[in-house]
Amino acid sequence: MRIADDIRTMRIRGAGRIARAAAKALKLAAEKYAGPDDVNEFVRYMEVVAETLLSTRPTAVSLPNAVSYVMSRLRRQRPGSVKEARSIVVRYADEFIGYSLNAVRMIAEIGARRITDGDAVLTHCNSSAAIAVIVEAWRSGKDIEVYATETRPRYQGLITVKMLAEAGVEVTLVPDAAVRLLMKRLDKVIVGADTVAANGAVVNKIGTAQIALAAKEANVDFYVAAETYKFSPATVLGELVEIEERPPTEVVDNSFLEKHPRVRVLNPAFDVTPPEYIDAIITERGIIPPQAAFLVLKREYGQAIADYVIKATVDLED
Ligand code: RUB
């Protein structure tokens, strides 16, 4: 499946885009289904597609949340025919994509209000949600100074500076290692999220936690822009978020590794910023302190959380 491959190899990347691509992949798979005219067969086929998508990257919860947005409705609505089942998948995949795009627009509006004229703002990696906030603040006439980190080893920061420059925002690229020195000049940091845990901890691109630490030390506000489908229902039950490890060749090339066989390379793609380092999380439903993450989860995923609790209880009894 091409979209699954594109997610795995990071041609499609960023938690929001990954989620929308997964919904689109489910829709395309449903449209392409050419198996027997049997609704159970169709559901089984869709389950395989869903599993393939889920196996691509482990960290961003937006991916399982998008898949389950569509698949839980397919299961729950008990369609009587393949035609009906297919139209359920198409409808809810489209609905998720529409919701997601609108959520980013709302985050931009809500978050931009937090940015003050004259602010110096830093972002890390390449987050559509964080960029949307910065662009909206700029468009609304606030004179802001914007910095973006390179984001080793994949250099997503280069995508960020291009996007900001194309939107007309003046932006300065800095090496990741310059963050603490730069912090003295900053008023705000704004980053995206791959996963927000029930305790308000935020999983985002490697390096985020270090930036948050430096921001805390310098008394600089640290904001996270995250749609509610980046909140993880499984963490309510204490499930840990898996941190993806990427290949060493993203850090150094193969010839270096061959020449120095005793050198090992560790390449974790994400880290965890504790809630005490986060001033607020900007969602499409409003701005919350990280400590209120559980309330968002309860409101958005009450049913899914109840399902997890039931499953966990059954597993314990087994
Ligand atoms: C991307 C990353 C982004 C979040 C949020 O990591 O960490 O900050 O996914 O992005 P990668 P968005 O490049 O490894 O996918 O706001 O666009 O969802």
Side-chain angles (χ1 to χ4, degrees):
M1 207 201 311
R2 199 178 51 80
I3 293 183
D5 266 356
D6 285 351
I7 296 174
R8 196 173 290 115
T9 55
M10 291 177 67
R11 272 190 294 271
I12 297 173
R13 45 145 302 283
R17 277 193 215 96
I18 289 173
R20 290 190 292 275
K24 186 174 164 199
L26 290 172
K27 173 180 165 172
L28 293 177
E31 285 170 344
K32 267 199 219 145
Y33 175 74
D37 191 17
D38 170 343
V39 78
N40 292 325
E41 277 298 320
F42 176 84
V43 174
R44 264 196 293 277
Y45 157 85
M46 288 306 302
E47 301 278 6
V48 173
V49 175
E51 280 308 316
T52 308
L53 288 165
L54 292 175
S55 70
T56 52
R57 291 189 77 188
T59 303
V61 75
S62 54
L63 172 61
N65 281 347
V67 168
S68 113
Y69 187 91
V70 178
M71 293 301 290
S72 64
R73 285 164 173 86
L74 173 62
R75 286 182 212 112
R76 244 185 281 139
Q77 295 193 7
R78 298 181 188 281
S81 66
V82 169
K83 188 168 171 249
E84 202 188 323
R86 182 182 280 132
S87 77
I88 291 172
V89 173
V90 171
R91 173 173 166 206
Y92 290 108
D94 283 341
E95 191 173 280
F96 179 86
I97 294 168
Y99 182 91
S100 164
L101 293 171
N102 194 41
V104 176
R105 281 192 286 269
M106 289 169 78
I107 286 173
E109 257 178 50
I110 297 168
R113 286 186 223 135
R114 280 288 168 114
I115 296 184
T116 313
D117 195 40
D119 271 354
V121 182
L122 169 75
T123 188
H124 180 56
C125 192
N126 175 252
S127 155
S128 321
I131 289 175
V133 172
I134 294 169
V135 170
E136 181 58 33
W138 178 273
R139 284 210 182 120
S140 66
K142 288 173 186 163
D143 183 16
I144 52 177
E145 218 179 304
V146 182
Y147 295 87
T149 54
E150 280 181 309
T151 318
R152 283 273 297 148
R154 297 279 304 220
Y155 295 104
Q156 288 93 330
L158 299 188
I159 309 173
T160 296
V161 291
K162 268 193 247 163
M163 285 170 72
L164 287 168
E166 271 160 26
V169 180
E170 276 166 35
V171 58
T172 305
L173 183 69
V174 293
D176 299 339
V179 163
R180 187 161 179 267
L181 184 78
L182 182 69
M183 202 50 83
K184 289 185 211 124
R185 299 200 215 162
L186 298 178
D187 300 289
K188 288 179 179 106
V189 175
I190 176 157
V191 298
D194 287 84
T195 292
V196 181
N199 68 348
V202 167
V203 183
N204 190 50
K205 180 53 55 194
I206 191 78
T208 303
Q210 259 170 220
I211 299 175
L213 189 62
K216 180 93 181 161
E217 180 198 38
N219 226 348
V220 168
D221 291 346
F222 188 92
Y223 291 107
V224 175
E227 306 88 296
T228 52
Y229 54 82
K230 311 245 178 93
F231 287 61
S232 164
T235 58
V236 172
L237 283 195
E239 206 166 285
L240 298 174
V241 179
E242 183 182 339
I243 302 292
E244 178 181 16
E245 290 235 357
R246 308 258 334 153
T249 46
E250 288 187 347
V251 182
V252 284
D253 58 29
N254 234 341
S255 62
F256 181 92
L257 293 169
E258 278 162 13
K259 235 188 268 168
H260 305 283
R262 297 177 70 85
V263 173
R264 282 186 310 245
V265 174
L266 187 66
N267 184 20
F270 300 97
D271 62 22
V272 184
T273 301
E276 308 87 81
Y277 293 88
I278 300 166
D279 287 282
I281 304 178
I282 305 158
T283 80
E284 72 277 18
R285 300 241 186 244
I287 300 188
I288 60 155
Q291 290 75 12
F294 177 73
L295 300 177
V296 171
L297 280 161
K298 197 167 154 238
R299 179 181 161 147
E300 302 293 327
Y301 294 103
Q303 186 57 50
I305 292 167
D307 291 346
Y308 279 118
V309 173
I310 292 164
K311 190 175 171 302
T313 317
V314 172
D315 288 350
L316 276 178
E317 283 167 359
D318 282 350

